Amino acid sequence: YNRSIAREEKGDFDGSSSDNTRILELDPKSVKAFYNRGIARGQKGDLEGSIADNSKAIQLDPKYTQAYYNRALARAQKNDLDGAIDDNTKVIELSPNNAEAHFNRGAAYWKKQDYDRTIADFQKASALNPAYKPQADPVIEQAKQFKAEAAAAAKGRPDET
């Protein structure tokens, strides 16, 4: 197990993945081995493998926050925004003060053009961790602008009744 972590830290994701596969041969219910192999697979670009391994870790331990978080990252990279939102929401349910999950869910809402939820999540992320402010504040302002433009455009439309 320690060797797989050391390999991952050195960027040897193939070695880390192999080590975790070996752990799973010996202990097919090792939540950490599924989780760690999922990280290694995601780092190698195997997003489906990452999602599958994190899903297995979640199946074995439904409160394993890190597995939801990592699955959310993989889903976001695959542009499965609804899946990423669901997983980040679960992270927030399990760990309400997780600023990263609020930020990442807000980013997914941004891509879906759900500006109210973008604003709420980015504000929460910034409140929990001020390091997010430089990234969040411009997006919040842009989301507010988009909302105002949409409202103005809707007022200018003729009634369709």
Side-chain angles (χ1 to χ4, degrees):
Y1 176 75
N2 290 335
R3 185 174 74 175
S4 76
I5 299 296
R7 284 180 165 183
E8 181 184 316
E9 289 173 355
K10 290 180 182 178
D12 179 7
F13 302 115
D14 288 325
S16 177
S17 185
S18 294
D19 286 347
N20 282 294
T21 297
R22 178 70 180 132
I23 291 167
L24 289 166
E25 289 168 1
L26 300 171
D27 180 6
K29 292 188 178 184
S30 174
V31 174
K32 286 189 176 185
F34 278 112
Y35 165 74
N36 287 326
R37 190 174 70 179
I39 291 173
R41 285 179 164 180
Q43 291 292 330
K44 292 186 335 182
D46 178 7
L47 300 177
E48 287 299 329
S50 179
I51 291 167
D53 280 345
N54 282 292
S55 294
K56 186 64 176 176
I58 291 165
Q59 179 185 350
L60 293 168
D61 182 357
K63 293 189 178 192
Y64 198 57
T65 307
Q66 297 94 322
Y68 287 103
Y69 179 79
N70 283 320
R71 188 172 71 178
L73 293 176
R75 285 179 163 175
Q77 286 181 320
K78 286 189 49 123
N79 213 32
D80 174 6
L81 301 177
D82 291 330
I85 288 167
D86 290 346
D87 283 343
N88 280 303
T89 298
K90 188 63 176 180
V91 171
I92 293 164
E93 287 172 11
L94 295 169
S95 180
N97 293 326
N98 188 312
E100 286 178 293
H102 282 282
F103 187 84
N104 291 340
R105 187 176 69 177
Y109 282 135
W110 171 258
K111 288 180 180 178
K112 290 183 62 114
Q113 300 179 352
D114 185 338
Y115 300 124
D116 288 328
R117 289 180 175 160
T118 298
I119 292 166
D121 272 342
F122 275 30
Q123 286 175 334
K124 183 68 173 180
S126 294
L128 292 169
N129 183 349
Y132 283 108
K133 272 186 87 50
Q135 292 175 285
D137 284 352
V139 175
I140 291 168
E141 291 309 311
Q142 195 169 15
K144 288 178 180 177
Q145 180 182 345
F146 288 160
K147 282 180 55 181
E149 289 171 1
K155 283 184 181 179
R157 290 188 192 133
D159 262 350
E160 296 181 16
T161 56

